[in-house]
Amino acid sequence: MKFLAPLFLVSARIKGNLAMTQQDALIQNLNRSVLFKDIGSLEMDRIISVGQWRIVEQGQYVYRQGDNDCHFYIVAQGEAELTMNMAGDKQFLVSHIGSGGHFGETALLTNSSHSLNVRALTRLSLLCFDAQTFTSVLLDRHIVARQLSIALANRLRFSYRDHAHALTRAKTSSKSSEHSLDPTFFSGATIPEQAEPLSLHAHCGDQPAESTIARQIKAAARRFSNSLAPVLISGETGTGRRMAAYEIHQASAYKNGPYLEIDIQNFDSGQMEVELFGYERDSFAFSQIDQMGALERLQNGTVVLYNAENMEPDFQRQLVDIFENGFFTKVAGDTRVALRSRIILICKDTPRLEDGHSRLLPSLYALVKNQDFRMTPLRGHRRDIPRLVNYYLKRYSLQYGKTISRVDEQTLGKFMNYDWPGNLTEMASVLQRAVILGEDNKPLNSQILLGVPKAEGKWAFNLLRLKEIRKFFTSRFFPELPRVLVGIGLMLILIALFFGPIHAEKNIGLTLSWVVGWPLLIFSFFFLARTWCSVCGLSVPGWLAQTVFQPKRPTPPFIRKYSGWITTLLCILLFWIEITWNAYKSAHLTAWIITAITLGSLLFSMFYKRRVWCRFLCPLGAINAIFSMPSLLELRSNTHVCINRCSERLCYVGDDSAAGCPMFRYPFLVDNNRDCILCGQCIKNCKLDSIHLNLRLAPEELWSLQSPRLEDSVLVVSLAAIFYPFAINQKSPGLAEDLAKTLHGIGIPQSSALAVSIFFFSCILVSLCGYAILSQIMARITGNNWKATASILGYGMIPLVLGAYMAAHLAIFVGGLLLLPANILDILGMGGDYGSQRIINRDATFVLQIITVCGGLIASLYASHRIAQRLVIARPYSLKMFALPALLLSLSAIAYLRLL
């Protein structure tokens, strides 16, 4: 009993220091305790008689955390606070306890020291029981023991929550490097001490010593440092909003106070009120403990409401009242508690909408609009990307014990061109995976996965679930057997083209090339993606050559770097030759075009491994790649399975029994149809069934492509322009002569080829200039830069352009298909009938053409709308931003229909 020596003790009958009226008041307060609610007055007197009275003056401690004070206390009068010791001689306020409440039983029941401090807020009158009396008197009474058990269970439940908050506060308020890095993209991972704080000291090469993110955050801290008014921080996920919130706290008058982040998504509306405001004491009569909310626990501190746009409208209205009045009331109570905490709201984008659904109400926004700060997305300060890459490589190399210090120039170029929709969160995730998969002392290459492509989305069905389709793709005869058959057919076509009749209608080689083959190929772009490339007969000589020469040379860096521009030029050249010299009616020219492409494939297959020509140089492959992007089919992988379970990567590297991907692509890196030919090699090699062949409704890759390329958009615009001379040549073959005569009239030598060439390249030049102007306008509207806008805007045109070509070739196909049986009868010497060629009349054909073009227009309008949304940086998106692309697409569709 030595610990009671400095305290003022009196007898259980309150002799001397307590008057009779005081005694009655104390006993009345004790009767309020839930422990004694079913105890009679005589029994109550016996319990009081074995206890000892203790008076604790205001500001003194009943006991401290870690003390072995073996007593149980009941508060007869006064109020105490329960606190927990934290780092730096700080204390975290857990709760208040008033008259009728009790404490100290946990240490007695667990035979341990106290886990909390108890300090008197007012003068306390306590009835205390030592360990022996507590066990023999209180626990011996069934009613009291039962109420103690209930009280202890509930207290431990709420204590657990409060301790979690204490740990959170200790973690976030410490001045470590953790809050110099955004918690949204580090997931609580421990940061090595050697890693420099990103927001202040990250440095890369000749770049300035301070990043744009750091300057933004410092500007926010300075702006709001002189006020404790609520602050709104908006921006996309991963832009450093939580870093900014913490730095604002550190720059404020409350910098030495507690700091707590609360994610609104983790609570429903009722729970959120309890979490923030707390419960009135009477709601927990079992212990008379006030369940304190965050605003009361964190007095003289900062409370951050993360994902604040998800707050229910009723809760937002409560916040408005609190901001305006400066106080709040607890749940189930009416006592006013002064607001002595700063509140920071973190929202996605610009959080305003009239109905308040998933947005801030206008009334709440009006209170914080002058205290609003928006974080710029990473695509708005791309010059920081090299610095960030170096920082993350250093951080994750230290974490995983590797030595990876850089990425190659091509990969860095991709990083600079990528839009990073997940911002710093995504970059951290991408480079973490890259370091895990990378090799020591080697730069990371272009195979780095940007983003996480979906294996099978909401609007997709994996066709490999069907046994017949899986059996087809895993067959040892696919794609080799179809390729050989197509190659044999192509050889026969070449023979017919070189040695067959000169008359176009009677040459079966021309019929199979332009009337049957090319239209079917155009249709296959939409229905079968790049499947044609896997069975292409043009690649057969190169494929056979590789089995003989077995080349090991990698793709030349120049070709890898500029392949998009090379194929764009080759595609334009191919169409120019076809249209200018009317290859559709020239057997020999068609034969030489096919031969040239075949020789290109053969030459590169002899010197370089895999299908370099098909991936990087083939003009037909480039057209197929672009037009397959809106296809109904896609090949994707389950990225999580690939990264976490696969160690062999046979899909890409292959082994002695099976080749790897002929297109130099890891399936888990594929996020579009551009570079996958659906050869099925990865399906055969994958032992984990990670590969999905999806039948899809929405081609999301058009607006969510991870690395849009400017050269792709230039190719799309060029194809859109080439449609005009192509369609005019098909509809009015004599127009070339008319153009030549017109040009001759103004002094230009009369030449049909020259006239068509001028018209051909004029269409392309005008279209590209118009596209450059459109991109500049859209860049200003969305707040993005010109190159990023021009690189992706063209992808929205693909469905319309594909629809136009499909419609034009539909007319060619149905209008000339009957030439094929006539050609066959001619070969057999039976005399073919060339009078009737159509299989569908013109009106029905035009209806199908309208449906095709309008379907492409609708898909392009939606894709362009989503692209415009993606491009917006510094302002909220509205449909007005999409008006100009929508108008131009609609006018293009009308022009296409008039040409059909």
Side-chain angles (χ1 to χ4, degrees):
M1 302 298 289
K2 291 182 180 180
F3 75 97
L4 294 175
L7 301 176
F8 182 58
L9 296 177
V10 294
S11 68
R13 300 187 181 279
I14 320 176
K15 293 180 179 178
N17 293 317
L18 294 175
M20 188 60 63
T21 54
Q22 292 177 308
Q23 177 181 346
D24 293 340
L26 295 178
I27 293 175
Q28 185 178 2
N29 287 339
L30 290 176
N31 287 330
R32 291 172 53 194
S33 173
V34 71
L35 295 179
F36 306 134
K37 70 176 183 177
D38 295 324
I39 300 293
S41 57
L42 292 176
E43 188 70 13
M44 184 73 176
D45 288 341
R46 293 192 189 97
I47 293 175
I48 293 176
S49 66
V50 298
Q52 292 181 313
W53 287 99
R54 174 179 173 185
I55 303 300
V56 181
E57 298 297 336
Q58 181 179 0
Q60 293 184 348
Y61 284 88
V62 180
Y63 53 73
R64 293 179 181 270
Q65 183 175 330
D67 286 351
N68 291 313
D69 171 32
C70 301
H71 283 76
F72 172 68
Y73 299 91
I74 301 175
V75 180
Q77 192 173 56
E79 188 170 15
E81 68 175 7
L82 282 65
T83 62
M84 176 186 292
N85 295 336
M86 308 305 296
D89 296 327
K90 296 181 179 180
Q91 290 189 349
F92 174 76
L93 179 59
V94 175
S95 191
H96 289 170
I97 188 166
S99 300
H102 59 266
F103 55 87
E105 73 276 13
T106 304
L108 291 176
L109 293 173
T110 59
N111 194 27
S112 61
S113 59
H114 290 291
S115 59
L116 298 173
N117 306 296
V118 180
R119 187 174 71 91
L121 292 177
T122 64
R123 192 170 187 267
L124 284 180
S125 295
L126 303 175
L127 182 61
C128 55
F129 302 87
D130 60 29
Q132 182 178 356
T133 306
F134 174 75
T135 303
S136 61
V137 176
L138 295 181
L139 294 186
D140 192 52
R141 285 165 169 78
H142 174 72
I143 295 175
V144 176
R146 181 175 178 275
Q147 294 298 340
L148 273 172
S149 299
I150 295 173
L152 179 61
N154 281 282
R155 185 175 294 177
L156 288 174
R157 178 163 59 94
F158 288 99
S159 170
Y160 174 81
R161 182 200 68 180
D162 293 331
H163 288 199
H165 286 312
L167 292 173
T168 301
R169 183 212 142 191
K171 188 176 181 180
T172 57
S173 60
S174 60
K175 297 180 180 179
S176 67
S177 61
E178 183 165 354
H179 250 281
S180 66
L181 302 169
D182 189 353
T184 61
F185 60 83
F186 284 118
S187 304
T190 302
I191 297 170
E193 293 180 1
Q194 299 92 326
E196 296 176 350
L198 170 63
S199 61
L200 299 177
H201 303 296
H203 181 76
C204 177
D206 296 328
Q207 297 195 29
E210 188 174 62
S211 68
T212 302
I213 300 176
R215 289 195 297 273
Q216 270 196 301
I217 292 173
K218 286 184 176 181
R222 286 194 299 268
R223 176 181 168 187
F224 303 121
S225 62
N226 296 326
S227 170
L228 294 175
V231 173
L232 170 65
I233 303 176
S234 59
E236 298 176 9
T237 299
T239 52
R241 296 169 299 166
R242 293 165 75 174
M243 280 193 286
Y246 184 73
E247 293 301 323
I248 290 171
H249 165 72
Q250 288 293 91
S252 72
Y254 286 166
K255 63 181 179 181
N256 294 322
Y259 176 90
L260 177 66
E261 294 174 359
I262 299 175
D263 191 342
I264 299 296
Q265 291 181 330
N266 293 337
F267 303 92
D268 60 30
S269 57
Q271 290 176 322
M272 193 65 239
E273 292 180 19
V274 176
E275 180 69 20
L276 206 60
F277 309 138
Y279 261 110
E280 190 73 13
R281 176 175 301 147
D282 290 341
S283 299
F284 293 93
F286 59 81
S287 61
Q288 297 300 316
I289 285 184
D290 231 352
Q291 298 300 323
M292 301 173 64
L295 293 181
E296 191 173 4
R297 290 197 311 272
L298 277 76
Q299 292 185 12
N300 299 323
T302 301
V303 177
V304 178
L305 301 181
Y306 188 66
N307 290 317
E309 71 276 6
N310 294 317
M311 294 187 298
E312 294 291 336
D314 288 342
F315 184 76
Q316 294 188 43
R317 295 185 186 97
Q318 291 184 60
L319 282 183
V320 171
D321 291 338
I322 292 170
F323 292 157
E324 290 179 341
N325 301 321
F327 65 83
F328 61 92
T329 57
K330 297 185 178 184
V331 176
D334 53 10
T335 303
R336 294 183 177 182
V337 181
L339 177 64
R340 290 198 289 256
S341 302
R342 183 180 205 162
I343 296 179
I344 297 178
L345 307 178
I346 294 182
C347 296
K348 294 178 183 175
D349 302 322
T350 302
R352 282 176 290 177
L353 198 65
E354 288 300 320
D355 62 2
H357 179 67
S358 294
R359 292 291 188 268
L360 296 191
L361 290 173
S363 56
L364 178 56
Y365 183 79
L367 293 176
V368 295
K369 66 179 181 180
N370 294 327
Q371 296 280 102
D372 183 11
F373 190 85
R374 179 174 176 80
M375 298 295 296
T376 303
L378 183 54
R379 60 183 177 275
H381 50 95
R382 296 176 189 266
R383 67 176 182 174
D384 286 338
I385 289 177
R387 167 202 325 278
L388 293 168
V389 169
N390 280 7
Y391 169 78
Y392 287 123
L393 289 180
K394 182 177 180 180
R395 179 183 188 275
Y396 290 119
S397 291
L398 288 169
Q399 183 172 338
Y400 296 106
K402 291 194 172 184
T403 307
I404 300 176
S405 59
R406 67 186 183 93
V407 299
D408 62 26
E409 291 300 321
Q410 184 177 6
T411 303
L412 186 59
K414 282 189 174 184
F415 277 25
M416 297 296 290
N417 194 42
Y418 182 46
D419 278 345
W420 298 105
N423 297 290
L424 302 178
T425 306
E426 182 178 10
M427 179 176 281
S429 177
V430 165
L431 289 171
Q432 183 181 25
R433 290 194 299 266
V435 169
I436 292 173
L437 297 174
E439 298 182 31
D440 276 343
N441 300 311
K442 289 186 179 180
L444 298 174
N445 58 30
S446 58
Q447 300 299 330
I448 288 180
L449 170 64
L450 296 179
V452 182
K454 294 182 294 183
E456 184 176 0
K458 181 179 180 181
W459 301 105
F461 173 75
N462 181 14
L463 293 175
L464 295 180
R465 295 180 182 180
L466 306 177
K467 292 182 179 179
E468 292 78 9
I469 293 180
R470 177 174 287 276
K471 184 178 180 180
F472 174 79
F473 275 95
T474 55
S475 168
R476 62 189 179 93
F477 298 111
F478 180 83
E480 285 77 10
L481 181 59
R483 187 185 302 155
V484 170
L485 295 176
V486 174
I488 293 172
L490 187 65
M491 182 178 64
L492 296 176
I493 289 174
L494 282 175
I495 293 173
L497 289 170
F498 277 120
F499 305 106
I502 298 299
H503 194 279
E505 284 189 346
K506 295 187 177 183
N507 192 305
I508 192 172
L510 281 176
T511 301
L512 289 172
S513 297
W514 298 116
V515 177
V516 179
W518 186 241
L520 289 178
L521 187 59
I522 294 289
F523 302 152
S524 75
F525 296 161
F526 177 70
F527 293 102
L528 300 174
R530 287 194 70 174
T531 305
W532 161 256
C533 289
S534 66
V535 298
C536 175
L538 302 174
S539 65
V540 170
W543 169 52
L544 295 174
Q546 282 196 334
T547 61
V548 176
F549 294 99
Q550 297 183 349
K552 301 298 181 182
R553 294 184 183 88
T555 307
F558 177 83
I559 292 178
R560 295 183 68 95
K561 185 175 182 179
Y562 296 106
S563 65
W565 294 111
I566 295 171
T567 53
T568 296
L569 292 176
L570 289 177
C571 286
I572 293 173
L573 177 64
L574 178 63
F575 273 104
W576 173 61
I577 293 172
E578 291 177 6
I579 295 171
T580 302
W581 287 278
N582 200 10
Y584 315 106
K585 300 296 182 181
S586 172
H588 285 179
L589 180 56
T590 300
W592 282 115
I593 290 173
I594 295 174
T595 301
I597 296 174
T598 304
L599 289 176
S601 172
L602 173 62
L603 179 65
F604 280 86
S605 296
M606 291 171 60
F607 291 99
Y608 301 104
K609 64 181 180 180
R610 305 195 188 186
R611 298 178 68 166
V612 171
W613 173 262
C614 301
R615 168 75 190 275
F616 298 108
L617 296 170
C618 179
L620 294 182
I623 297 170
N624 196 341
I626 285 295
F627 282 156
S628 68
M629 294 185 73
S631 173
L632 294 175
L633 278 186
E634 65 176 10
L635 185 140
R636 301 292 185 267
S637 73
N638 187 327
T639 307
H640 302 290
V641 171
C642 295
I643 292 176
N644 297 308
R645 296 187 58 199
C646 179
S647 58
E648 298 176 311
R649 300 182 183 88
L650 296 177
C651 56
Y652 178 76
V653 300
D655 57 18
D656 295 337
S657 61
C661 176
M663 300 294 283
F664 306 92
R665 291 287 279 172
Y666 281 109
F668 75 87
L669 299 173
V670 173
D671 72 323
N672 62 82
N673 286 346
R674 189 176 57 198
D675 301 326
C676 176
I677 61 174
L678 298 178
C679 65
Q681 196 62 49
C682 56
I683 300 174
K684 294 184 179 74
N685 291 354
C686 182
K687 301 176 181 179
L688 302 174
D689 288 338
S690 173
I691 310 300
H692 291 198
L693 180 65
N694 295 328
L695 181 65
R696 64 184 184 180
L697 293 181
E700 294 185 22
E701 64 196 64
L702 293 177
W703 57 85
S704 62
L705 187 68
Q706 296 162 357
S707 301
R709 303 189 307 184
L710 179 60
E711 51 268 41
D712 284 349
S713 289
V714 170
L715 176 57
V716 174
V717 175
S718 299
L719 291 173
I722 290 170
F723 182 81
Y724 295 102
F726 167 76
I728 291 172
N729 179 67
Q730 295 293 324
K731 192 173 183 178
S732 306
L735 185 63
E737 295 294 335
D738 296 337
L739 285 173
K741 292 178 181 178
T742 302
L743 293 175
H744 182 68
I746 60 175
I748 298 176
Q750 184 170 346
S751 168
S752 298
L754 179 60
V756 173
S757 297
I758 292 174
F759 179 58
F760 180 89
F761 287 107
S762 295
C763 288
I764 295 177
L765 182 62
V766 170
S767 296
L768 289 176
C769 290
Y771 180 73
I773 295 172
L774 172 64
S775 299
Q776 183 63 42
I777 294 172
M778 289 300 294
R780 292 187 177 183
I781 291 174
T782 60
N784 217 312
N785 63 67
W786 181 87
K787 185 176 181 181
T789 304
S791 296
I792 194 172
L793 205 59
Y795 290 94
M797 301 171 56
I798 295 177
L800 175 60
V801 178
L802 175 59
Y805 276 95
M806 289 177 66
H809 285 85
L810 175 65
I812 295 172
F813 182 76
V814 302
L817 184 61
L818 292 181
L819 286 174
L820 184 59
N823 294 154
I824 294 174
L825 291 174
D826 263 356
I827 293 173
L828 296 176
M830 300 173 63
D833 180 11
Y834 293 93
S836 176
Q837 301 174 7
R838 301 191 64 86
I839 59 174
I840 301 177
N841 64 56
R842 295 183 184 277
D843 292 338
T845 301
F846 188 62
V847 170
L848 292 176
Q849 289 177 314
I850 292 175
I851 294 173
T852 304
V853 174
C854 289
L857 173 62
I858 293 171
S860 280
L861 287 173
Y862 182 73
S864 297
H865 156 66
R866 294 297 298 271
I867 289 171
Q869 277 185 316
R870 171 176 172 173
L871 287 171
V872 172
I873 291 181
R875 60 205 73 178
Y877 175 76
S878 68
L879 287 177
K880 294 180 181 178
M881 297 179 175
F882 169 60
L884 184 57
L887 175 63
L888 295 177
L889 286 170
S890 301
L891 292 176
S892 298
I894 294 172
Y896 289 157
L897 286 173
R898 290 181 63 86
L899 289 173
L900 295 175

